[in-house]
């Protein structure tokens, strides 16, 4: 079973994503921000990451920068609802530039989420935990 790391600072968003992915046959672990996500990646093997871009603490772009340097083989699905002074399209373009392989706008459609995770998984390179 493939494992997905879900990174979002809103607990209900993490819960909804976790339930959608569980119905699609994935296991998942959760982090509230980039700092917690990096700590989890040090001790857990994951196949892909679904991360929000704009979060309190370490945001998704900072997280992506470190993730791609330390674990370049992990594919990433980035999602956003936008941020103050930044629209969704600009936020997603910045995430693509930081290494996200799939991009989603909030609110997330469950079928689009599952499709994005499957596409991300098809792009992964083997890595070690």
């Amino acid at each position: 079973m493939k494992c997905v790391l879900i990174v979002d600072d809103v607990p209900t968003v993490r819960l909804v994503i976790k339930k959608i992915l569980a119905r699609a046959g994935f296991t998942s672990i959760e982090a509230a921000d980039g700092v917690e996500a990096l700590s989890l990646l040090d001790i857990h093997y994951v196949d892909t990451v679904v991360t929000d871009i704009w979060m309190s603490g370490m945001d998704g772009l900072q997280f992506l920068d470190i993730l791609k340097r330390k674990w370049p083989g992990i594919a990433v699905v980035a999602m956003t609802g936008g941020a103050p002074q930044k629209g969704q399209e600009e936020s997603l373009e910045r995430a693509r530039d930081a290494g996200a392989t799939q991009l989603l706008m909030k609110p997330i459609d469950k079928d689009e989420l599952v499709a994005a995770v499957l596409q991300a998984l098809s792009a992964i390179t083997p890595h070690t935990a």
Side-chain angles (χ1 to χ4, degrees):
M1 193 174 290
K2 300 291 184 182
C3 184
V4 179
L5 170 59
I6 303 164
V7 189
D8 197 297
D9 58 347
V10 180
T12 53
V13 171
R14 292 194 311 268
L15 179 63
V16 168
I17 291 172
K18 184 174 187 154
K19 285 182 177 184
I20 291 168
L21 294 177
R23 285 187 200 116
F26 298 101
T27 60
S28 60
I29 57 175
E30 304 173 43
D33 63 21
V35 173
E36 184 179 4
L38 292 170
S39 294
L40 289 172
L41 286 168
D42 279 333
I43 58 174
H44 293 280
Y45 178 91
V46 301
D47 296 288
T48 193
V49 171
V50 174
T51 185
D52 192 15
I53 297 171
W54 303 113
M55 300 177 282
S56 56
M58 178 186 288
D59 69 35
L61 296 173
Q62 295 165 319
F63 166 62
L64 276 171
D65 181 54
I66 297 167
L67 170 72
K68 286 305 187 177
R69 282 188 275 124
K70 196 166 180 182
W71 298 280
I74 297 178
V76 177
V77 177
M79 57 186 179
T80 189
Q85 285 106 25
K86 296 195 186 350
Q88 286 181 310
E89 291 83 10
E90 179 185 350
S91 296
L92 292 173
E93 189 59 39
R94 289 183 65 190
R96 182 185 309 281
D97 292 344
T101 55
Q102 300 295 317
L103 308 170
L104 296 172
M105 289 187 190
K106 289 180 176 179
I108 302 293
D109 175 83
K110 66 181 178 179
D111 294 329
E112 289 177 2
L113 172 64
V114 172
V117 170
L118 290 170
Q119 289 172 353
L121 285 168
S122 72
I124 63 171
T125 338
H127 63 279
T128 56

